C-alpha cells in the first residue's frame, strides 16, 4: 500500500498533462485481489499500459530534443549579440537561465516518470505472481527493460549536458538579483510546478527505499540521501508540500 | 528510433467482422467478466491509448538481428503469414484475411486523416478477442461493442493482435532484413542500438525454461511498442524516435529551405534523405518545431495552470522571493540534480537485480534439468529456495555496492565548488 500511496502523491504533484499517463497501479492491484484475471488478460492490460508509457515518453523526448536545440541557439545568439558587452549579457541571460533550470527539471521528471512506472510494473507483477503462483514476473520484466520508455539514456545525457552548461555559463556568484527578479517572478510559477514535483519525487524515493515488509532479493536497498536531506529540509521553508 | 503506427479504419468493417467471428466461436460457458476487470476497463474512457488497433492496420517493427527495434512489422497487403498462425482457429484466420484484402486502401486513406500531432493511438471499435481457449473471452465478445465502453474485449484485442503480429512478422522479417538493417543504422541511438541487438534475440525465444504453473497456452509476452521506423509496405504511420543528430539534420534541411515557416515537409524529407523517415514523421516534427520556435514558452508544457499565479503560489513565491530568485533557482537546480542522480543509481540497481535474477534462474533451471526427472518436483522446491537465498545474497552484495557507489558519487560532489547556479 505504501507504493500505491506514493505513486498517487506523485501523480497529484505532477505536471497536469502527465497525470493520466502514469501506471494505474491502484486499479491493477484491485484487479488482482478479486479472482485474479487470467494471464492473457492481465498481460494484455499491462501491455496497454506500456503502450501508453512508450507513446508519452517518446513524444516528450522529441519535444525535449527540439527545445534542447532551441535553448542552445538562444544562448548562442545572445552571445553573438552581446559580444564583449557583459552587462547586456547578464541582463538577458536571466530569462534563459530560468528556462534552463526548468527544462532540466522537466527532463529529470521524465526520467522519474519512467522509473516510477517501471517500479510499479515490477511490484504489480510480483503481486500477481504471489496471487496466482505463477512466474510471469521475470520474463515480463525482461521485456520491459527493452521498452522505449525505459531507455532513458538520451534524456539523462541531455540532463547532464545542461548541468555542465550551467556550471560553465553561471560559474561565479554575481549579484544578479535586480534584473533577474522581474523575469523570474512571472516564470517562477512555472518553476513551482516542476520544483514541487521534483521534491515530491525525491521524497517518494526515500520513502520507498526505507525498507519494506516484503523485502526480498528483488528489493532495492535503502536510499542514500545524506546530502539531499539538507536540501529537503531547507525546502520545507519554501515549499507548500507537507514534508513528513 | 521508435516506429509506431497510428491507423484508423472504418468501424463498419470491424463490427461486421465482429459479428461474424462471434458466431464462429464454439459455444461454451460464458462467465461474466469480474466486476473489477470491468471497472478497470471502463476507467480507460479517458485514456485512448489502452484500446487496441484494428486488425490489419497495425504496424510494428521487429528487429531481430538489427539492433534496436522491438515489435512487429505488419502490412495489410501481405497476409499469407497468418494462415500459419497456430494459435488461432482457421476460421478466425480466414476472416482476418478477408478483412485485410478489403482494407488496404482504407488503411491508406485512414492514415492520411489522422492528425500528425496525434500523440495517442487511433482507436476504434475493437475487434473481439480471439482467444478461443479462454472462457472469459466469450463473455468479452458478447459484451464489448465500442472501444470507449471498455469491456474486456479491448484488452483481448491487444493481446491477440500482438501475438498474431509476432508470428506473422517472423515470416516477414526474414524477407526484409537488408532494408531494415539500413534503417536502424541511420535511426537508432548509439546507446541503445548495441544493447538492443544483443537482447533482441532473447526476446524472441519462447520461454520454455520458465516454469509455468498455469495450464494456459503460452501467451507470448511481447513488447508492444516499436523502436524503429521503417519504410512501410503500405502507408504506415509509424512512431519515430528522434535523436539530436537527426534533429540537427532536420534543422539544416529546414534552414536551407528558408526557415520553419517556409519549409514544407516534403522538401525537408527530400533533403534529409533518411531511410525510413516518412513524411508523417517530418510533418509532425515540423509542427512541433514551429511551435517551439515561434511561440517560445519558458516551460515545455507551458500550461495555463502554471502561468497564472494562484494565491497560494504567490504566498509561497514570496517565501521563495525572500530568499532571492537566484537562490531559488539554485535550490531548484540542486534538488533536480539530486533526483536525477538518485534515479540513475536506482535504475542501475534495478537492472542489475534483474540481470542477476535471470542468470541465477537460468543456472538453476540447468541444474534442475540435470537432475532425474522423477524427483523433479522436490528438487524444484529445493532449488528454488536455494535460488532465493542466492538472490538475497546477491541483493546484499548490491546494497554494499550501492553504498560504495553513492559514496563515490558524494565525494566528487563535495569536491565540486558550490557554484551559484
Amino acid at each position: 500500500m505504501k507504493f500505491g500511496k506514493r505513486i498517487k502523491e506523485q501523480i497529484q504533484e505532477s505536471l497536469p498533462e502527465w497525470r493520466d499517463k502514469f501506471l494505474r497501479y491502484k486499479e491493477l492491484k484491485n484487479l488482482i485481489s478479486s479472482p485474479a484475471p487470467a494471464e492473457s488478460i492481465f498481460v494484455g492490460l499491462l501491455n496497454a499500459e506500456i503502450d501508453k508509457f512508450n507513446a508519452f515518453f517518446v513524444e516528450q523526448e522529441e519535444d525535449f530534443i527540439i527545445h534542447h536545440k532551441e535553448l542552445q541557439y538562444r544562448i548562442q545568439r545572445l552571445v553573438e549579440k552581446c559580444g564583449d558587452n557583459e552587462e547586456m549579457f547578464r541582463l538577458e541571460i536571466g530569462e534563459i537561465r530560468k528556462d534552463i533550470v526548468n527544462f532540466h527539471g522537466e527532463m529529470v521528471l521524465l526520467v522519474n516518470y519512467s522509473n516510477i512506472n517501471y517500479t510499479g510494473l515490477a511490484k504489480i507483477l510480483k503481486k500477481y505472481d504471489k496471487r496466482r503462483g505463477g512466474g510471469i514476473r521475470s520474463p515480463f520484466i525482461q521485456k520491459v527493460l527493452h521498452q522505449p520508455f525505459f531507455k532513458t539514456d538520451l534524456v539523462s545525457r541531455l540532463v547532464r549536458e545542461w548541468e555542465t552548461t550551467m556550471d560553465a555559463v553561471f560559474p561565479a556568484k554575481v549579484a544578479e538579483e535586480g534584473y533577474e527578479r522581474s523575469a523570474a517572478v512571472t516564470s517562477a510559477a512555472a518553476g513551482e510546478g516542476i520544483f514541487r514535483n521534483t521534491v515530491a519525487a525525491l521524497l517518494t524515493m526515500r520513502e520507498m527505499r526505507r525498507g519494506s515488509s516484503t523485502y526480498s532479493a528483488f528489493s532495492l536497498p535503502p536510499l542514500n540521501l545524506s546530502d539531499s536531506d539538507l536540501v529537503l529540509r531547507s525546502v520545507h521553508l519554501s515549499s507548500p508540500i507537507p514534508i513528513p | 528510433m521508435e516506429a509506431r503506427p497510428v491507423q484508423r479504419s472504418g468501424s463498419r468493417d470491424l463490427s461486421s467482422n465482429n459479428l461474424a467471428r462471434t458466431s464462429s466461436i464454439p459455444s461454451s460457458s460464458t462467465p461474466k467478466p469480474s466486476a473489477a476487470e470491468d471497472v478497470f476497463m471502463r476507467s480507460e474512457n479517458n485514456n485512448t491509448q489502452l484500446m487496441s488497433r484494428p486488425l490489419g492496420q497495425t504496424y510494428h517493427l521487429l528487429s531481430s538481428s538489427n539492433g534496436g527495434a522491438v515489435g512487429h512489422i505488419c502490412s495489410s497487403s501481405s497476409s499469407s503469414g497468418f494462415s500459419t498462425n497456430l494459435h488461432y482457429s482457421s476460421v478466425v484466420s480466414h476472416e482476418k484475411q478477408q478483412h485485410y484484402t478489403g482494407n488496404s486502401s482504407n488503411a491508406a486513406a485512414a492514415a492520411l486523416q489522422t492528425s500528425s500531432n496525434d500523440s495517442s493511438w487511433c482507436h476504434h471499435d475493437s475487434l473481439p478477442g480471439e482467444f478461443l481457449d479462454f472462457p472469459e473471452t466469450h463473455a468479452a465478445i458478447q459484451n464489448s461493442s465500442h472501444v470507449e465502453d471498455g469491456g474486456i474485449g479491448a484488452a483481448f484485442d491487444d493481446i491477440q493482435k500482438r501475438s498474431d503480429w509476432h508470428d506473422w512478422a517472423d515470416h516477414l522479417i526474414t524477407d526484409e532484413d537488408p532494408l531494415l538493417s539500413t534503417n536502424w543504422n541511420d535511426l537508432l541511438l548509439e546507446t541503445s542500438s548495441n544493447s538492443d541487438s544483443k537482447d533482441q534475440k532473447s526476446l524472441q525465444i519462447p520461454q520454455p525454461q520458465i516454469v509455468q504453473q498455469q495450464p494456459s497456452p503460452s501467451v507470448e509476452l511481447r513488447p508492444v511498442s516499436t523502436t524503429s521506423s521503417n519504410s512501410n509496405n503500405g502507408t504506415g504511420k509509424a512512431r519515430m524516435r528522434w535523436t539530436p543528430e537527426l534533429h540537427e539534420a532536420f534543422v539544416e534541411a529546414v534552414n536551407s529551405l528558408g526557415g520553419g515557416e517556409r519549409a514544407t515537409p516534403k522538401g525537408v524529407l527530400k533533403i534529409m534523405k533518411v531511410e525510413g523517415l516518412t513524411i508523417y514523421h517530418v510533418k509532425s516534427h515540423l509542427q512541433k518545431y514551429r511551435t517551439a520556435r515561434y511561440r517560445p514558452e519558458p516551460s515545455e508544457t507551458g500550461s495555463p495552470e502554471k502561468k497564472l499565479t494562484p494565491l497560494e503560489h504567490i504566498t509561497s513565491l514570496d517565501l521563495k522571493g525572500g530568499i532571492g530568485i537566484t537562490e531559488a533557482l539554485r535550490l531548484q537546480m540542486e534538488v533536480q540534480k539530486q533526483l536525477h542522480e538518485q534515479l540513475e543509481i536506482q535504475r542501475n540497481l534495478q537492472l542489475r537485480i534483474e540481470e542477476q535474477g535471470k542468470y541465477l534462474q537460468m543456472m538453476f533451471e540447468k541444474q534442475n534439468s540435470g537432475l532425474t526427472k522423477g524427483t523433479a518436483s522436490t528438487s524444484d522446491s529445493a532449488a528454488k529456495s536455494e535460488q532465493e537465498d542466492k538472490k538475497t545474497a546477491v541483493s546484499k552484495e548490491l546494497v554494499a555496492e550501492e553504498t560504495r557507489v553513492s559514496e563515490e558519487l558524494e565525494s566528487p560532489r563535495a569536491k565540486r565548488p558550490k557554484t551559484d547556479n
Side-chain angles (χ1 to χ4, degrees):
Chain A
M1 192 53 213
K2 244 194 326 196
F3 181 82
K5 189 176 162 202
R6 288 293 155 187
I7 191 175
K8 192 172 154 196
E9 281 172 12
Q10 270 281 278
I11 293 174
Q12 276 168 5
E13 294 295 338
S14 69
L15 307 169
E17 310 78 35
W18 295 34
R19 277 177 205 150
D20 63 345
K21 304 287 193 268
F22 283 85
L23 179 70
R24 292 177 302 153
Y25 184 79
K26 193 174 174 192
E27 289 97 331
L28 284 166
K29 208 179 83 150
N30 291 339
L31 200 61
I32 292 175
S33 53
S34 42
E39 184 179 308
S40 60
I41 304 179
F42 191 67
V43 165
L45 293 172
L46 291 186
N47 280 338
E49 293 290 284
I50 290 175
D51 255 353
K52 182 172 74 177
F53 305 152
N54 285 333
F56 179 70
F57 187 90
V58 168
E59 177 109 14
Q60 287 294 312
E61 191 187 52
E62 186 179 348
D63 285 334
F64 287 161
I65 288 174
I66 296 176
H67 198 227
H68 168 76
K69 271 289 176 286
E70 283 313 298
L71 261 182
Q72 284 180 334
Y73 288 144
R74 261 171 82 189
I75 295 175
Q76 203 179 339
R77 282 196 296 270
L78 184 66
V79 167
E80 283 165 12
K81 184 173 113 183
C82 293
D84 285 333
N85 192 343
E86 265 199 51
E87 192 73 31
M88 189 173 160
F89 182 82
R90 277 203 222 106
L91 266 165
E92 313 245 349
I93 203 72
E95 181 80 18
I96 293 182
R97 177 181 186 161
K98 173 219 29 144
D99 284 353
I100 293 174
V101 173
N102 286 340
F103 180 49
H104 176 272
E106 265 198 79
M107 287 197 288
V108 172
L109 286 174
L110 189 66
V111 177
N112 178 58
Y113 165 87
S114 165
N115 197 282
I116 277 249
N117 288 325
Y118 171 82
T119 307
L121 279 175
K123 285 180 181 283
I124 276 286
L125 283 163
K126 184 176 164 186
K127 288 189 197 292
Y128 183 83
D129 275 352
K130 198 170 165 188
R131 213 36 171 73
R132 294 270 295 201
I136 69 166
R137 197 201 76 90
S138 192
F140 196 92
I141 274 291
Q142 287 299 321
K143 171 194 109 168
V144 173
L145 294 179
H146 300 292
Q147 293 301 305
F149 86 90
F150 189 74
K151 303 216 194 87
T152 55
D153 291 342
L154 176 61
V155 180
S156 281
R157 194 190 96 200
L158 295 181
V159 166
R160 274 177 262 119
E161 269 184 41
W162 283 106
E163 285 172 10
T164 310
T165 305
M166 283 293 281
D167 287 344
V169 178
F170 304 99
K173 191 176 173 70
V174 183
E176 301 158 323
E177 281 188 42
Y179 20 81
E180 276 196 357
R181 202 175 278 274
S182 51
V185 165
T186 41
S187 55
E192 271 291 300
I194 293 170
F195 182 69
R196 289 174 59 153
N197 198 177
T198 309
V199 170
L202 269 173
L203 292 172
T204 300
M205 269 182 88
R206 191 175 63 179
E207 274 303 306
M208 272 168 41
R209 300 272 295 271
R210 222 158 232 180
S212 76
S213 54
T214 56
Y215 187 82
S216 79
F218 292 95
S219 301
L220 289 167
L223 196 58
N224 200 334
L225 263 189
S226 49
D227 262 23
S228 39
D229 272 349
L230 294 169
V231 175
L232 289 176
R233 261 182 259 132
S234 68
V235 157
H236 180 61
L237 299 170
S238 53
S239 162
I241 304 174
I243 296 183
Chain B
M1 294 301 137
E2 307 300 317
R4 199 81 216 264
V6 183
Q7 299 271 359
R8 219 179 264 257
S9 80
S11 51
R12 273 174 283 123
D13 292 333
L14 298 177
S15 40
S16 64
N17 267 348
N18 211 337
L19 296 170
R21 230 176 258 109
T22 310
S23 58
S24 71
I25 287 157
S27 61
S28 64
S29 63
T30 60
K32 284 183 67 173
S34 76
E37 287 167 4
D38 222 32
V39 166
F40 183 81
M41 297 309 294
R42 283 180 204 285
S43 73
E44 277 296 273
N45 274 350
N46 298 327
N47 186 349
T48 57
Q49 293 182 2
L50 171 68
M51 300 313 166
S52 47
R53 287 145 287 292
L55 271 182
Q57 282 134 359
T58 311
Y59 286 67
H60 295 266
L61 196 67
L62 182 66
S63 88
S64 44
S65 48
N66 295 313
V70 169
H72 313 272
I73 299 179
C74 306
S75 155
S76 55
S77 55
S78 151
S79 55
S80 55
F82 257 104
S83 52
T84 66
N85 190 331
L86 300 173
H87 287 280
Y88 307 99
S89 72
S90 53
V91 173
V92 165
S93 325
H94 172 65
E95 295 192 22
K96 268 183 251 169
Q97 292 192 359
Q98 282 177 336
H99 179 71
Y100 291 145
T101 46
N103 264 349
S104 26
S105 52
N106 290 349
L112 286 168
Q113 293 166 23
T114 314
S115 144
S116 58
N117 253 357
D118 200 350
S119 61
S120 60
W121 310 128
C122 299
H123 302 290
H124 278 261
D125 289 0
S126 53
L127 296 162
E130 290 172 78
F131 281 121
L132 306 181
D133 304 312
F134 296 86
E136 292 94 331
T137 317
H138 303 145
I141 289 163
Q142 289 175 7
N143 293 338
S144 74
S145 50
H146 192 270
V147 153
E148 292 306 313
D149 282 347
I152 306 297
F156 281 96
D157 296 331
D158 264 354
I159 312 155
Q160 171 251 304
K161 277 163 200 153
R162 274 166 225 124
S163 305
D164 281 348
W165 301 143
H166 178 70
D167 291 326
W168 179 86
D170 276 344
H171 301 281
L172 185 63
I173 292 295
T174 44
D175 298 331
E176 303 212 355
D177 245 4
L179 178 66
L180 295 172
S181 56
T182 9
N183 296 341
W184 289 317
N185 289 337
D186 285 336
L187 302 170
L188 276 178
L189 302 176
E190 275 170 70
T191 47
S192 49
S193 58
N194 294 333
S195 54
D196 279 342
S197 48
K198 268 183 281 172
D199 297 319
Q200 274 310 305
K201 297 253 188 270
S202 62
L203 280 172
Q204 291 175 41
I205 298 168
Q207 325 268 347
Q209 69 265 39
I210 309 299
V211 176
Q212 290 285 357
Q213 293 175 16
Q214 295 135 333
S216 56
S218 68
V219 174
E220 298 196 81
L221 307 178
R222 291 296 158 196
V224 173
S225 63
T226 62
T227 55
S228 177
S229 75
N230 69 338
S231 53
N232 295 297
N233 299 334
T235 54
K237 243 194 159 181
R239 190 161 278 270
M240 168 80 127
R241 195 159 192 184
W242 285 82
T243 68
E245 295 76 31
L246 195 60
H247 178 68
E248 264 186 53
F250 169 87
V251 171
E252 269 177 39
V254 163
N255 288 338
S256 70
L257 287 172
E261 291 299 313
R262 280 214 194 133
T264 64
K266 195 174 176 186
V268 171
L269 185 66
K270 240 181 171 181
I271 296 178
M272 282 180 79
K273 279 199 273 268
V274 172
E275 271 198 67
L277 190 63
T278 71
I279 194 162
Y280 301 107
H281 299 143
V282 175
K283 192 168 162 212
S284 85
H285 197 75
L286 185 61
Q287 206 160 342
K288 284 181 187 279
Y289 180 72
R290 284 176 178 154
T291 310
R293 267 181 98 76
Y294 298 100
R295 278 195 288 139
E297 293 168 288
S299 104
E300 270 303 311
T301 53
S303 77
E305 229 177 275
K306 285 192 290 182
K307 291 293 166 60
L308 301 168
T309 322
L311 216 50
E312 319 113 43
H313 279 175
I314 293 176
T315 331
S316 60
L317 260 182
D318 280 348
L319 289 168
K320 232 181 170 183
I323 64 175
I325 298 303
T326 309
E327 274 304 299
L329 281 178
R330 201 171 65 81
L331 183 64
Q332 183 180 336
M333 191 67 178
E334 196 53 43
V335 169
Q336 284 164 190
K337 272 187 188 170
Q338 296 269 351
L339 179 58
H340 186 239
E341 208 171 289
Q342 292 302 328
L343 284 168
E344 292 203 287
I345 294 175
Q346 179 155 308
R347 187 190 138 91
N348 285 333
L349 281 174
Q350 285 168 329
L351 277 171
R352 280 157 69 189
I353 286 174
E354 291 304 327
E355 257 176 55
Q356 293 282 5
K358 186 172 84 169
Y359 174 74
L360 286 170
Q361 192 151 25
M362 260 170 51
M363 294 298 287
F364 281 105
E365 303 282 337
K366 278 188 186 162
Q367 195 175 33
N368 286 349
S369 62
L371 296 164
T372 56
K373 303 287 179 184
T375 54
S377 53
T378 42
S379 52
D380 267 359
S381 52
K384 274 208 169 119
S385 55
E386 242 187 279
Q387 203 174 338
E388 285 308 304
D389 287 344
K390 278 253 168 104
K391 285 178 186 171
T392 317
V394 161
S395 177
K396 283 184 185 155
E397 276 174 47
L398 290 177
V399 175
E401 179 101 31
E402 194 242 359
T403 323
R404 284 199 300 273
V405 166
S406 355
E407 276 163 17
E408 276 174 38
L409 281 170
E410 248 124 71
S411 42
R413 251 199 286 136
K415 284 179 195 151
R416 200 199 300 155
K418 284 293 177 196
T419 55
D420 187 349
N421 287 334

